[in-house]
Amino acid sequence: MAALGGGGTRWRRAWLPALQLLRRGSKAVTRHWKAMHLQRQKLLALTEFLPPRPPVPPRCRPRHATEEPRQEDGYARVLRRQAEECLRGSRMVAVCQFNSLPDEDVATLRHFLRKHNIHLKFILNEIIRPVLAQSELRSLLPLFVCRNVLLVSPEARAREMLRVLKGVPQVVLLGACIDGTILSRQGVENFARLPSLEVSQGQTVAALSLLSSQTSSLLQRGPAHLTALLDEHIRRLRDTGGATEPPPGRSSGNH
Amino acid sequence: KNMASKVSLVLRPVKSIVVRFCPFEPNVESTRKFLQSIYHKKIQATNTNCEVTADVRHDGSEPVVDVKFADGDRLIMKGAHLTTGEMLTALASRCNAKDLKEEQKSKRKNP
């Protein structure tokens, strides 16, 4: 207390931090850049904002060798089912390359093909490929590159189809499967030139019966020749008036 | 079809194009794409007199594009190891060269 009292004025002068600091330092808000207090510096350094790191994009991640099976699109499933039904229910399936054609020409082509009960179907390669791979038409797989169109029909009318396609050069016939037989373009043309089934059946029957009819005539030829010769002989004998020599037929009959 | 719109192909000096391929072979994709792009309406519009024929065979032969020009030249491209873009650019460059020559000739005649 005494010490406090003794050096009171001196102590007070030296121990008034507010006055001292004011004399020495500037205000809190200055126009120049003021050095931060150490405690404040430490606090700010501790509570500094660290922005979150953006995640690595999935394309930069290591990809697995086997991809998980993609979930099948419902629309793709529907299209695949339609394609399967189409292939199953048709006798003739022709694959053509479709180069660009104006819309009205497509409609006209559809109309002319519909007259012969041939349906024009646009299909996507990625849908038809698995369908074909499972069915027996595996050989037609290499045809499905670029834009294709299918001509399906429950009857096998190749001649009319070729006639219609001849008028449309933009649709190029590549191959066909008629009655389970895979044909190339030449095969289709040959098939169109063939006669109809009834005519060919009649021709086969005629050929077979011809052989059997020939057999019977062949067998009869020997005795027929013999009889003819004998008749000729008799006539000659009668003509010359030789009645003494009896005909050999009667003597053979006696035996 | 995208390539056909990008490449400016003027078919005026071309008389006929025959594309021969065997569709059951595995190397015909570029030739078929070439045929598809040739039939694009923009290119067909440049020359309606040009006859484009597709010859489909089944003898295992190589895919070939045979182009006959109006001045008698012939360009044969074997598409087995060529891409569609290469074939189109080759044809386009030759067509443009011939076109330029004809324009110069006509300019010289009618100054």
Side-chain angles (χ1 to χ4, degrees):
Chain A
M1 283 274 287
L4 279 168
T9 46
R10 251 189 292 144
W11 181 74
R12 210 171 274 147
R13 237 187 291 140
W15 210 250
L16 264 178
L19 285 171
Q20 295 253 325
L21 283 168
L22 266 174
R23 218 177 284 147
R24 241 198 358 215
S26 39
K27 294 203 170 75
V29 178
T30 54
R31 285 186 196 180
H32 62 271
W33 196 259
K34 195 165 127 175
M36 261 192 238
H37 197 272
L38 189 65
Q39 276 172 1
R40 187 178 164 176
Q41 237 175 332
K42 282 184 190 169
L43 191 70
L44 281 178
L46 206 64
T47 56
E48 200 178 326
F49 172 67
L50 292 165
R53 262 178 134 187
V56 177
R59 62 174 185 270
C60 300
R61 291 234 177 93
R63 244 180 255 199
H64 299 283
T66 53
E67 223 183 72
E68 291 105 40
R70 263 175 294 162
Q71 260 155 18
E72 220 178 48
D73 200 14
Y75 185 49
R77 225 179 304 140
V78 166
L79 288 175
R80 202 169 295 155
R81 212 181 317 134
Q82 277 180 356
E84 278 167 7
E85 276 170 30
C86 202
L87 288 178
R88 227 179 296 137
S90 57
R91 238 180 92 187
M92 174 172 84
V93 176
V95 184
C96 307
Q97 176 168 346
F98 181 79
N99 304 314
S100 62
L101 207 61
D103 289 334
E104 56 261 17
D105 286 356
V106 174
T108 327
L109 177 70
R110 245 206 179 112
H111 167 69
F112 279 113
L113 287 173
R114 200 71 183 75
K115 268 195 196 165
H116 305 297
N117 201 9
I118 302 177
H119 303 266
L120 193 82
K121 272 199 175 337
F122 286 94
I123 34 102
L124 289 173
N125 291 340
E126 61 218 19
I127 292 190
I128 200 76
R129 276 184 160 259
V131 172
L132 280 183
Q134 282 155 14
S135 71
E136 308 93 39
L137 309 175
R138 244 163 263 127
S139 328
L140 290 177
L141 263 178
L143 292 180
F144 286 93
V145 175
C146 309
R147 207 154 169 223
N148 297 306
V149 77
L150 278 183
L151 303 177
V152 296
S153 163
E155 316 147 14
R157 296 172 74 163
R159 214 173 300 155
E160 287 86 4
M161 186 180 76
L162 279 177
R163 211 178 297 147
V164 173
L165 286 179
K166 216 185 284 187
V168 188
Q170 280 99 336
V171 178
V172 183
L173 176 66
L174 302 172
C177 174
I178 304 181
D179 284 335
T181 322
I182 296 185
L183 299 166
S184 69
R185 198 208 168 97
Q186 279 86 33
V188 176
E189 283 165 11
N190 295 339
F191 178 79
R193 258 181 255 135
L194 280 178
S196 72
L197 190 65
E198 291 83 25
V199 171
S200 41
Q201 273 173 351
Q203 280 177 353
T204 326
V205 165
L208 288 171
S209 53
L210 180 72
L211 284 173
S212 47
S213 62
Q214 270 183 353
T215 321
S216 63
S217 63
L218 258 176
L219 286 171
Q220 284 173 1
R221 214 170 50 174
H225 193 58
L226 182 64
T227 3
L229 279 173
L230 291 170
D231 285 337
E232 184 62 37
H233 187 67
I234 294 167
R235 211 178 318 122
R236 276 215 200 119
L237 288 173
R238 275 207 200 115
D239 286 342
T240 51
T244 48
E245 215 180 307
R250 279 211 202 132
S251 60
S252 61
N254 287 340
H255 288 305
Chain B
K1 48 180 178 170
N2 301 330
M3 270 182 275
S5 44
K6 276 185 216 157
V7 173
S8 59
L9 196 55
V10 180
L11 284 180
R12 226 174 295 129
V14 174
K15 197 163 73 173
S16 77
I17 303 181
V18 177
V19 183
R20 201 178 313 140
F21 62 92
C22 170
F24 290 92
E25 296 284 312
N27 53 3
V28 296
E29 185 176 343
S30 54
T31 318
R32 277 182 71 176
K33 281 216 174 86
F34 178 79
L35 180 68
Q36 205 170 344
S37 39
I38 285 282
Y39 268 117
H40 199 250
K41 52 183 179 209
K42 224 200 266 183
I43 296 181
Q44 287 283 302
T46 56
N47 186 358
T48 43
N49 296 336
C50 179
E51 304 149 6
V52 184
T53 330
D55 193 2
V56 178
R57 303 251 180 104
H58 191 43
D59 45 10
S61 57
E62 302 273 310
V64 168
V65 177
D66 192 354
V67 185
K68 286 204 184 72
F69 291 97
D71 49 3
D73 285 353
R74 232 175 129 181
L75 170 67
I76 301 182
M77 295 193 275
K78 304 213 170 144
H81 298 290
L82 289 171
T83 64
T84 319
E86 283 171 11
M87 290 200 264
L88 280 170
T89 40
L91 185 62
S93 65
R94 280 178 182 73
C95 284
N96 291 340
K98 287 201 197 288
D99 229 3
L100 274 170
K101 237 196 283 178
E102 275 192 38
E103 271 180 33
Q104 281 170 359
K105 255 196 233 171
S106 59
K107 267 193 201 153
R108 257 183 248 152
K109 276 187 193 164
N110 314 327

